Amino acid sequence: MYKERHAWYFLTIPAILLLTFSLIPAAWALFLSFTNYNVFQPLQFVGLENFQRAFTNELFGKAIFNTFYYWILVTPALVVLPILLAVLVNQKIPLINFFQLTYYFPFLVSVVVTALLWKMMFRQDGIMNYFLSLFGIEPVGWLTSSSTAMPSIGLITIWQGLGYYMLIYLAGLQAIPKSLYEAAEIDGAGFWKKQFHVTFPMLRPIIFFVTIVSTLSAFKEFTLMLVMTDGGPLYATTTVVYLVFLEAFEYLNMGYASAISFILFVIILIITLINRRVFERDD
Amino acid sequence: MTAHAAQVEKRKQRMGKRTIISRIISYILLTIVAFITIIPFIWTLSTSFKGQNEPVYSFPPNFIPQNFTFENYISVWTTLPIPLYLWNSVILTFFGVLLPLIFCSLAAYPLARMEFKGKNLIFLIIVATMMIPGEVTMIPVYLIIQKLGLMESFAGVILPGAVSAFGIFLMRQAFFAIPKEVEESAFMDGATVLQLFSMIMLPMVRPMLVTLGILSFIGAWNSFLWPLLILTDPNKYPLTLGLYKLQGTFTSNTRLVAAGAVIALVPILIVFSSMQKYFVEGAYSSAVKG
């Protein structure tokens, strides 16, 4: 039979790893955010100074704005478009597997390669501007203009996540009982009516899940900005986490950077709670 | 009777026509989305084979190389130590997959199958760690790696991701599903706990191990941030970091950038197409936790 000590044989090493690389760091980050730690000087307590500095800092304000902007650019698209795509690929027709896999593939491509590909697409004389020219639209600066840089990165994010979220919705679609659609058909519902009265309501929990996941990843994204635009031009793509990265590893302001990361943590927590509220209230 | 049969036949025909039309529309839509998805890949692939005197950017874009050549690949291969980068990526990915499999299973097993003091507390702590984003702990983890003397080492890149609360969750679910009789009969036959775990229980959760392995693979093969922070010696770069560091050198030559990107894409494409089923299941199970 199992004995008490057996459990600890199993748990000890994973617990040490989890403590070392998750729990202690979380507490340490909170601690650092009240200090002026910058690697070179001995650490000193500064109370709420880092937080005050953040809330009065123009760049931090801009980073907060950019983060929300990026979120609004990508999350609604990544919640809605994959549903439509999932309905489209949820058919038993030849080659459908091939299409599903094709849509999913960009999700597996590393951020560096994604950046290499899309920097070429977004060139002044690149393909994206060619497509615009087909519609008679003048060439756009995409990544080089501060007004289009963030939407361009949002476009990449949507391109990359579409197939992944499609698969998640597809799993949900296939769990919907066929009888519901048949009942709707008997009531004379057409294609769109069936989607609105059966598909969308039945997918609610998954829509909630996708909203949360895509929101969290939007708020945490910064490597795409790092490799595409270095947070520019003119800080137009500097998100909060990018600012944390910049302050911590470029300027070595570890205390201030920790404070910013904690503000982000609180924002994420609040958004998650609001999301949960909204979705629970309707039930 | 015959009138009725004729009517049914007519309806069938109409339905057949409708199905054909809806299929045509489906395929048109499917193709458009597929086109949008793969156009960056296709264009990069074609660029990587274009000769030096052939324009890369043109209106309309040229998808078929006029002077087909391998010289871009040869240049990239001789400029960058590609085999070394690939080897580093393989090592990092191997341990980046193996360690989470081992440690998440180890942690999940007692949580699912045993009774012991502090179980609830441990479980609560694991749930709590799931709430903490890695971006918040990034700075202290970096400092801890520094204090442990793991800078410049693969261990420093791998260890922070060696166990994850999410992985423990997945494995715990899989172990839960095993019936109690399995343990009872194993103990009756005189199996030790270690034998039971490694020879009976682990094989029974194989599908979940594959799923977790795939998810870890995607993360490890593409990992960028920790290698960037921890490795400064170019001989230790994985492929992602090597390409990133040298894209500056290459920006003037799009053909070489394209060839580099294709070289980085081939391994993942091979793994993906040979294990597509598991990749799809991996995406499905990442939704289960919601």
Side-chain angles (χ1 to χ4, degrees), chain A residues 2 4 94 103 108 164 220, chain B residues 27 30 109 117 135 183 286:
Chain A
Y2 294 126
E4 192 81 33
Y103 301 159
L108 308 175
Y164 169 69
K220 294 194 276 189
Chain B
Y27 278 116
L30 286 166
Y109 187 65
K117 253 183 245 142
E135 288 69 16
E183 278 149 329
S286 59

Side-chain angles (χ1 to χ4, degrees), chain A residues 2 4 20 23 25 28 91 93-94 101 103-104 108 110 117 120 123 127 130 159 164 167 209 220 254, chain B residues 23 26-27 30 37 43-44 57 60-61 109 117 125 135 139-140 144 183 222 254 272 276 279 284 286:
Chain A
Y2 294 126
E4 192 81 33
T20 317
L23 274 184
W28 196 346
Q91 309 184 61
I93 54 179
L101 294 170
Y103 301 159
Y104 180 37
L108 308 175
S110 83
L117 298 182
M120 297 188 267
R123 284 256 310 229
I127 289 191
Y130 170 69
W159 169 81
Y164 169 69
L167 281 181
F209 172 76
K220 294 194 276 189
M254 303 253 177
Chain B
R23 274 208 184 177
S26 293
Y27 278 116
L30 286 166
T37 309
W43 191 81
T44 305
Y57 299 100
Y109 187 65
K117 253 183 245 142
I125 290 172
E135 288 69 16
I139 298 165
I144 286 172
E183 278 149 329
N222 293 334
T254 306
F272 179 54
Q276 26 168 293
F279 273 88
Y284 281 172
S286 59

Side-chain angles (χ1 to χ4, degrees), chain A residues 43-97:
Chain A
L43 175 151
Q44 251 183 345
F45 270 102
V46 294
L48 292 173
E49 203 176 277
N50 289 325
F51 293 92
Q52 277 164 349
R53 182 175 155 197
F55 285 119
T56 51
N57 182 294
E58 207 179 313
L59 187 54
F60 177 73
K62 196 169 174 63
I64 290 272
F65 171 82
N66 288 339
T67 306
F68 275 85
Y69 182 37
Y70 175 69
W71 175 50
I72 287 168
L73 284 170
V74 300
T75 291
L78 283 177
V79 170
V80 175
L81 295 179
I83 303 184
L84 307 178
L85 202 54
V87 171
L88 183 64
V89 299
N90 189 24
Q91 309 184 61
K92 291 216 162 41
I93 54 179
L95 285 176
I96 199 69
N97 252 343

Side-chain angles (χ1 to χ4, degrees), chain A residues 160-181:
Chain A
Q160 193 153 41
L162 208 56
Y164 169 69
Y165 293 115
M166 172 202 76
L167 281 181
I168 290 178
Y169 280 124
L170 192 61
L173 280 181
Q174 287 169 350
I176 299 176
K178 286 253 177 337
S179 57
L180 288 179
Y181 287 109

Side-chain angles (χ1 to χ4, degrees), chain A residues 216-266:
Chain A
L216 290 182
S217 54
F219 272 85
K220 294 194 276 189
E221 184 60 67
F222 86 101
T223 46
L224 203 51
M225 291 76 176
L226 177 69
V227 293
M228 292 295 297
T229 54
D230 281 314
L234 295 170
Y235 294 105
T237 54
T238 297
T239 58
V240 176
V241 182
Y242 191 90
L243 192 61
V244 172
F245 175 81
L246 208 63
E247 290 287 352
F249 299 111
E250 298 282 325
Y251 312 140
L252 300 174
N253 290 325
M254 303 253 177
Y256 178 52
S258 297
I260 299 176
S261 74
F262 246 86
I263 297 171
L264 176 78
F265 178 49
V266 172

